[in-house]
Amino acid sequence: MLSVSHLDVFHANLQVVWDLSFSVGKGELVTLIGPNGAGKTTTVETLVGLNRNARGTITFCGEDILGMPPYRLFQKGLALVPEKREIFPKMPVVENLLSGVTDPSATDKNLEHIYRLFPILQERGQQMAGTLSGGEQQMLAIGRALMSNPQLLILDEPSTGLSPLLVGQVFRSLEQLGREGMTVLLLEQNVRHALAMCHRGYVLENGRIVKEGKAKELLHDPEIQKAYLGF
Ligand SMILES: Nc1ncnc2c1ncn2[C@@H]1O[C@H](COP(=O)(O)OP(=O)(O)OP(=O)(O)O)[C@@H](O)[C@H]1O
Ligand SMILES: [Mg+2]
């Protein structure tokens, strides 16, 4: 579904992503794991058209998409749950969800699905989004992305700022989405949870992929255990 090949990305003249190649198949859960500053956000911004200062190839559903503007990529089914969540704090929860609609005829069905996944969003429907807890805001950000019924759901560090309990909850909902057939690309620093949830993983360090493989194999890789899992 998504294929990235030899991608270089720059911030002004500074190159921060180097020769990145990775892929996500339909129905797959794939993670790019890496520490602060590895280039995760830069990579997702490039995928969704927010940073076009890049070269290489990005193919989505067979089409070359590098350089396309964000709204077109969103229409094509690429939805991002951004690192900073970027919900509308002074709008009710339900209005935030509705802001993600692309096909009005699917609104009821999508809302029903999201409420099944995150019942709290239905309970808090009329509450101002800014008054939700951090975990609830993350669920809202995911819910809003799902309102567009995306082909590929990209999440930039959904675990940031959440208690272990809430991290578990958010990741279980992503697993559930995976079981329902959703294709997911997860950028994470929480290596243990990300690898436990995904099928395949890539390790990103200093803007380069240094390791890749089946998630289970990476979880048992001594280098990864030492560097990221505190063994
Ligand atoms: N707008 C910018 N201008 C210049 N450099 C930037 C800009 N945004 C990011 N960078 C640099 O690019 C590198 C990668 O940053 P990026 O935000 O992609 O990392 P990240 O993996 O998302 O990190 P984190 O886990 O902290 O979110 C860093 O060295 C950062 O300082
Ligand atoms: Mg980031």
Side-chain angles (χ1 to χ4, degrees):
M1 177 173 284
L2 178 76
S3 172
V4 173
S5 172
H6 302 297
L7 183 71
D8 295 320
V9 189
F10 304 79
H11 287 294
N13 292 328
L14 180 71
Q15 184 166 2
V16 297
V17 164
W18 304 77
D19 199 27
L20 221 61
S21 297
F22 65 94
S23 64
V24 186
K26 192 169 164 52
E28 243 192 336
L29 308 179
V30 173
T31 184
L32 254 64
I33 51 180
N36 289 120
K40 301 182 294 296
T41 299
T42 303
T43 302
V44 293
E45 285 176 348
T46 312
L47 293 177
V48 301
L50 291 167
N51 184 341
R52 287 184 262 167
N53 193 358
R55 63 178 180 225
T57 317
I58 306 178
T59 316
F60 180 59
C61 298
E63 189 178 9
D64 192 349
I65 60 161
L66 183 59
M68 280 188 192
Y71 71 90
R72 278 196 61 200
L73 294 169
F74 182 58
Q75 285 166 343
K76 286 180 186 299
L78 264 170
L80 170 65
V81 181
E83 186 170 29
K84 298 202 169 77
R85 292 166 197 159
E86 286 160 30
I87 56 163
F88 303 110
K90 298 245 160 71
M91 271 164 57
V93 167
V94 66
E95 296 294 329
N96 269 271
L97 289 173
L98 294 175
S99 74
V101 169
T102 50
D103 170 11
S105 72
T107 299
D108 288 348
K109 191 170 135 271
N110 288 338
L111 266 181
E112 210 178 284
H113 176 223
I114 289 156
Y115 290 155
R116 234 181 303 125
L117 205 59
F118 305 116
I120 191 81
L121 296 182
Q122 185 165 27
E123 281 170 38
R124 303 297 170 86
Q126 296 310 319
Q127 190 172 321
M128 293 302 142
T131 64
L132 293 176
S133 75
E136 290 162 355
Q137 290 189 20
Q138 187 58 264
M139 293 173 200
L140 177 57
I142 297 171
R144 182 181 54 187
L146 292 174
M147 284 303 285
S148 65
N149 219 347
Q151 301 273 341
L152 173 64
L153 180 67
I154 305 175
L155 302 112
D156 189 358
E157 289 204 59
S159 75
T160 303
L162 303 189
S163 70
L165 191 72
L166 277 171
V167 173
Q169 206 175 327
V170 166
F171 276 65
R172 272 194 300 280
S173 61
L174 295 177
E175 270 174 324
Q176 173 62 27
L177 281 172
R179 281 193 292 275
E180 293 169 8
M182 180 65 72
T183 309
V184 175
L185 175 63
L186 171 69
L187 292 286
E188 256 301 343
Q189 215 172 135
N190 191 324
V191 171
R192 190 185 305 275
H193 270 93
L195 289 178
M197 187 198 104
C198 289
H199 304 125
R200 287 192 302 114
Y202 297 84
V203 182
L204 193 61
E205 284 175 7
N206 299 317
R208 291 180 170 85
I209 287 173
V210 296
K211 229 179 231 293
E212 62 181 272
K214 289 196 177 123
K216 281 208 178 68
E217 286 167 13
L218 292 175
L219 255 183
H220 294 107
D221 182 306
E223 270 175 35
I224 296 205
Q225 292 188 333
K226 189 155 173 272
Y228 296 101
L229 299 171
F231 278 83

